[in-house]
Amino acid sequence: MSHVGYGCLMAVDRSHVLRSAAALLTRKSTSTMDEVAKAAGISRATLHRQFAGRDALVRALEELGIEECEAALDAARLDEGSASDAVRRLVREIEPAAGLLSFLYTENQLFEGEQQNEGWARLDARISALFRRGQESGEFRIDLTPAWLTEALFALIASCAWVVLNGKVAAKDFHHMIVELLLGGALRRES
Amino acid sequence: MSHVGYGCLMAVDRSHVLRSAAALLTRKSTSTMDEVAKAAGISRATLHRQFAGRDALVRALEELGIEECEAALDAARLDEGSASDAVRRLVREIEPAAGLLSFLYTENQLFEGEQQNEGWARLDARISALFRRGQESGEFRIDLTPAWLTEALFALIASCAWVVLNGKVAAKDFHHMIVELLLGGALRRES
DNA sequence: CTTGAGTGAGACACTCATGTCTCATGTGGG
DNA sequence: CCCACATGAGACATGAGTGTCTCACTCAAG
């Protein structure tokens, strides 16, 4: 059953390599294939056998990040309860992927001309819908567009992940800092 | 008076080159020295004569960004009036530099090990002091640290500059989107 | 007109990450 | 035991960006 063992090992290794790469690239986004390989405990040759090149690796990380985000959105049950509670759940669920998102967030700006992965558009749409729902229910103010609130959410998540990594903010405050700052602005003030 | 003409021309050209480079690198942060030169309407040789290398160029842009920020802070008179008004003035004054800041914001994460320009620390300190003043005066909530509010402000500015560049947000809404989102969170709610 | 400084164009070598290749190892299954 | 296969180590070529240099041109000042 060589193909079973093969498949299993590949799957395990691939996942492990992706994790290591994500962790490393989060800290140093310019790491070389050599460094990524070392970090994963494998040789550059093996890394190259699993990912055709640096592009393929980054694309795979992008896929991973999108999958984790979508899983977080699912787990957060954005349609249930108040929109603010949904946002709280979302930030809670997405926190483990924050580091990876921080990397992809800056990396995506480099793709410039090339087409973006459609996954981001799907995520954007789902989160925008959440903010729109909050606006329509009267929870959120309407002078801040859903598109901007979505972008701001990602920006705050990436930024917070970065400052946590640098020790400027305690990791346990991640959720509080993001949610309170974002919702305070998105929530309509009770006058 | 060759040295006068020399000095004048260099000053003018240097500024113009920096502007072009900032504009280009804001859109495509991986632009080549060749592209930067083309964008400035000069040859790569001349570009090299003014800036020893890519590093020197980025450093110069960093200096420019810091200078513009400090000028904005000065013009915003952070010590006068309410802290929220000071924040509004700050965002207003800093808007012209937002694109450049967006570039430097992501670029700085690449410096990784190397030492950061002390200018950023000065800016951080001044803005943090503003948020602290707002907290002490009772305007801002105290569960969000000044350090985080400062980081969030920069993140929102960079992010908003980016989405404006991509047409997701109208340029005229730049100030409103940032200030309203940030202050809504930073301001203590009137219950 | 002549001179000189600044410039543009291009050639050149160098560095570095990347991608591809080969070969020896060793490990697990038949 | 033997074989297949994944791996690690390393050599090698490639391409891109960079830094340096030379040379011819232009234009303004003397």
Side-chain angles (χ1 to χ4, degrees):
Chain A
M1 303 291 182
S2 71
H3 73 281
V4 170
Y6 173 88
C8 268
L9 283 175
M10 286 297 286
V12 170
D13 280 349
R14 185 185 164 91
S15 173
H16 171 245
V17 170
L18 278 178
R19 291 295 164 183
S20 314
L24 177 62
L25 290 171
T26 294
R27 292 193 303 273
K28 184 168 177 292
S29 60
T30 57
S31 301
T32 64
M33 293 293 275
D34 238 326
E35 298 173 298
V36 172
K38 301 285 185 197
I42 60 177
S43 71
R44 196 163 68 94
T46 302
L47 176 61
H48 233 282
R49 288 183 189 110
Q50 296 192 339
F51 302 96
R54 191 174 218 288
D55 265 11
L57 176 62
V58 173
R59 297 297 176 160
L61 284 172
E62 195 176 23
E63 284 298 331
L64 177 63
I66 290 173
E67 283 172 22
E68 297 199 345
C69 275
E70 294 194 317
L73 295 210
D74 293 338
R77 309 182 311 281
L78 301 188
D79 296 329
E80 302 180 16
S82 72
S84 8
D85 282 345
V87 169
R88 289 179 213 279
R89 288 194 299 270
L90 170 56
V91 174
R92 181 70 72 193
E93 294 291 339
I94 220 173
E95 176 170 358
L100 178 54
L101 280 184
S102 174
F103 161 67
L104 294 174
Y105 185 77
T106 61
E107 195 75 4
N108 265 347
Q109 301 191 352
L110 306 186
F111 284 169
E112 196 50 26
E114 316 165 31
Q115 81 290 354
Q116 296 262 83
N117 188 314
E118 60 182 12
W120 297 120
R122 282 201 307 271
L123 289 171
D124 266 30
R126 290 179 68 180
I127 300 180
S128 288
L130 166 63
F131 285 121
R132 194 168 303 110
R133 178 168 82 83
Q135 288 181 333
E136 288 166 357
S137 74
E139 275 183 272
F140 296 159
R141 45 202 290 189
I142 59 171
D143 60 330
L144 301 179
T145 66
W148 163 240
L149 290 174
T150 304
E151 287 292 334
L153 173 59
F154 276 116
L156 290 178
I157 288 173
S159 170
C160 199
W162 184 252
V163 292
V164 163
L165 208 67
N166 289 10
K168 293 185 185 176
V169 166
K172 67 175 175 57
D173 294 333
F174 180 89
H175 180 266
H176 185 78
M177 292 291 166
I178 293 176
V179 165
E180 290 303 317
L181 181 57
L182 181 73
L183 282 190
L187 271 179
R188 190 167 62 181
R189 307 249 191 81
E190 342 274 343
S191 60
Chain B
M1 303 290 185
S2 72
H3 73 282
V4 169
Y6 174 87
C8 270
L9 283 176
M10 285 297 285
V12 169
D13 279 350
R14 185 184 165 92
S15 173
H16 171 245
V17 170
L18 278 178
R19 292 294 164 183
S20 313
L24 177 62
L25 290 171
T26 294
R27 292 194 302 274
K28 184 167 177 290
S29 60
T30 56
S31 299
T32 307
M33 292 291 275
D34 239 324
E35 297 173 300
V36 172
K38 301 285 185 199
I42 62 178
S43 71
R44 196 163 68 95
T46 303
L47 177 59
H48 248 287
R49 288 183 189 110
Q50 298 191 336
F51 302 96
R54 194 175 214 290
D55 265 11
L57 176 61
V58 173
R59 297 296 176 160
L61 283 172
E62 195 176 23
E63 284 299 330
L64 177 63
I66 290 172
E67 282 172 22
E68 296 200 346
C69 274
E70 294 193 317
L73 295 210
D74 293 339
R77 309 183 312 280
L78 301 189
D79 296 330
E80 302 179 17
S82 72
S84 10
D85 282 345
V87 169
R88 288 178 212 279
R89 288 195 299 269
L90 171 55
V91 174
R92 181 69 70 192
E93 295 291 338
I94 221 173
E95 176 169 358
L100 178 54
L101 279 185
S102 174
F103 162 67
L104 295 173
Y105 185 76
T106 61
E107 194 76 2
N108 266 346
Q109 302 191 352
L110 306 185
F111 284 169
E112 197 50 25
E114 316 165 30
Q115 80 290 354
Q116 297 260 85
N117 189 314
E118 61 183 11
W120 297 119
R122 282 202 306 272
L123 289 171
D124 266 31
R126 289 180 68 180
I127 300 180
S128 287
L130 166 61
F131 286 120
R132 196 169 300 110
R133 177 169 83 84
Q135 289 181 332
E136 289 166 357
S137 75
E139 275 184 273
F140 296 159
R141 44 202 290 189
I142 59 172
D143 59 331
L144 302 178
T145 66
W148 163 240
L149 290 174
T150 304
E151 287 293 333
L153 173 59
F154 275 116
L156 290 178
I157 289 173
S159 169
C160 198
W162 184 251
V163 292
V164 164
L165 208 67
N166 289 9
K168 294 185 186 177
V169 166
K172 67 176 175 55
D173 294 332
F174 179 89
H175 180 265
H176 185 78
M177 293 291 166
I178 293 176
V179 165
E180 290 303 318
L181 181 57
L182 181 72
L183 283 190
L187 269 179
R188 190 167 62 180
R189 308 250 193 79
E190 344 273 343
S191 61

